[in-house]
Amino acid sequence: MMRTVPENTDHRRLGRYALVDTGSDHVWGVCGEVEGLFRDPPRATYELFGWTSDGPVAEGWVGACVWLVPADGMLDAWMLEDVESLGRHPGTDSHVLTGLDEYLGPPEGYRAPVRLHNECRWLGSCEEFTRILPPERAPHPLVLRGLTPSLRLREALATGTRRSLDLGEAELEIRDGRGELLTDRMLSAKIRAWSPSSHGTDLIDLELGGEVDPVPGCARPVWEQWLAGPPGVAGVWTGLDTRRRGAWLDLVRERGCRLKCQDRAAGHVYELDGRHVTDEPGLYLALGEAISGPGGYFGGNLDALDDCLGGTFGYTAPSTLLRRDFAVAREHLSCVVTPEGETYDLVASFLDVLAEGGMRVIL
């Protein structure tokens, strides 16, 4: 008799990954290995004609994101993520970038001048650009290896009809080494194939062909650290670049918003280590650990920071924050650029929000 997920069991704790129906909360199955979760979507290429650099930082620059701002001010800026600058075409005045298009992408047919910035500084401008679409690729399957299926999934596979093999909207719950929920991924669970698994005689390998939001390859080292369990000491993120700090902050945010924290009594004194606050993710990661300890969350932007100051994230007003080595943050974040191209002092705005939330900040 084939082994199935017992219907009266806490299914999610039987494996690192659980495929869960979003409507009924039914667990279709659990497994310890997933193939296809980490992958990079196709990268688009931009050729920027009549390129003028605003300094050597633009040449060969790699970063988390670049904003393209239409020079006429009539259209919204749009973003490229995980950008790599390939430099100038030999013998031309054009500059080439590759990156991942934000969901909005560039305006249809827009070819007029744009300016580029990376949220910290202007990189340059061009008179015209063209976007070279990446070649279409076949959908990449998600394979759940060594899956212990539920009885309902066994019955669906035995029926084998198109309707029974479309499990509808589902989420892949992902747990860490302690069995605690780390995050989840929404997907359309359409079964493409299944076969006996080499992981066990009663287990199957289930291939899903629906849409799933993959984890970029650059974030994989961050995820592997968190899959082992939350950090036991503060500052594990400090050696990461901005892209990976952003991935770390994403996981911290999901965990923090899900677990919340018991608020400390008013009057508590927190200490922020500012030695590694060289970018915006670093600012919020340092603050989160100051408030809630290793892996702690306390906002990922100014609006979220304001929400956290309202309670359920470990803080009760009034309290005090000791800033140590905060000159690093002032050096890197006192003049940042909005998507639309306006400059502002992020450090000053950050301190203003803290003050309005009842947190006294001192050196």
Side-chain angles (χ1 to χ4, degrees), residues 58-77:
E59 305 298 331
W61 183 81
V62 178
C65 66
V66 165
W67 287 91
L68 288 82
V69 185
D72 58 14
M74 300 299 292
L75 296 171
D76 292 336

Side-chain angles (χ1 to χ4, degrees), residues 39-256:
R39 67 180 188 275
D40 289 321
R43 299 175 67 85
T45 300
Y46 280 72
E47 186 166 2
L48 312 175
F49 299 98
W51 172 258
T52 301
S53 175
D54 281 11
V57 68
E59 305 298 331
W61 183 81
V62 178
C65 66
V66 165
W67 287 91
L68 288 82
V69 185
D72 58 14
M74 300 299 292
L75 296 171
D76 292 336
W78 69 93
M79 183 176 68
L80 287 178
E81 295 182 311
D82 192 20
V83 171
E84 181 177 358
S85 168
L86 304 183
R88 292 182 181 270
H89 267 321
T92 74
D93 64 354
S94 66
H95 192 94
V96 180
L97 298 174
T98 69
L100 307 178
D101 284 315
E102 186 194 24
Y103 72 97
L104 291 177
E108 184 75 26
Y110 185 85
R111 298 178 66 90
V114 294
R115 296 188 69 194
L116 282 71
H117 69 80
N118 66 352
E119 298 184 337
C120 293
R121 59 186 63 86
W122 288 103
L123 303 176
S125 60
C126 69
E127 296 301 320
E128 183 183 352
F129 73 92
T130 185
R131 178 172 178 262
I132 304 169
L133 292 173
E136 288 192 11
R137 299 191 300 183
H140 200 290
L142 188 73
V143 183
L144 312 183
R145 300 210 175 271
L147 184 78
T148 302
S150 70
L151 179 60
R152 282 178 56 187
L153 180 55
R154 287 284 187 194
E155 293 172 344
L157 297 177
T159 302
T161 64
R162 178 178 297 182
R163 181 175 180 180
S164 70
L165 297 181
D166 186 351
L167 305 181
E169 288 190 357
E171 59 186 20
L172 185 69
E173 293 185 350
I174 304 171
R175 296 187 175 273
D176 63 23
R178 299 182 183 181
E180 298 176 356
L181 182 63
L182 174 61
T183 184
D184 55 53
R185 277 292 188 270
M186 299 296 298
L187 67 152
S188 174
K190 297 180 180 179
I191 299 173
R192 291 177 51 174
W194 71 94
S195 61
S197 176
S198 61
H199 290 262
T201 55
D202 294 334
L203 307 178
I204 64 172
D205 293 339
L206 186 72
E207 181 178 317
L208 302 175
E211 293 295 324
V212 61
D213 185 18
V215 181
C218 69
R220 185 165 192 160
V222 171
W223 276 61
E224 289 175 345
Q225 285 183 285
W226 275 90
L227 284 170
V233 296
V236 178
W237 54 269
T238 58
L240 302 175
D241 61 19
T242 297
R243 286 181 296 173
R244 292 181 174 87
R245 286 184 179 188
W248 187 284
L249 181 58
D250 287 341
L251 292 176
V252 165
R253 181 189 295 109
E254 288 195 45
R255 181 171 179 266

Side-chain angles (χ1 to χ4, degrees), residues 321-339:
L321 179 69
L322 299 179
R323 299 178 297 164
R324 300 195 183 278
D325 298 296
F326 209 63
V328 177
R330 290 196 179 279
E331 176 186 352
H332 289 87
L333 300 175
S334 290
C335 185
V336 297
V337 188
T338 68

Side-chain angles (χ1 to χ4, degrees), residues 256 260-271 287-288 290-293 297-299 304-322 350-361:
K260 300 300 180 72
C261 289
Q262 183 175 358
D263 294 332
R264 288 191 175 95
H268 191 82
V269 178
Y270 305 94
E271 183 174 336
L287 179 65
I291 303 296
S292 302
Y297 171 72
F298 206 76
L305 173 59
D306 185 56
D307 290 340
C308 290
L309 288 164
T312 73
F313 286 93
Y315 166 80
T316 300
S319 294
T320 300
L321 179 69
L322 299 179
F350 175 81
L351 295 176
D352 286 344
V353 173
L354 291 179
E356 291 171 2
M359 183 175 286
R360 178 171 174 257
V361 182

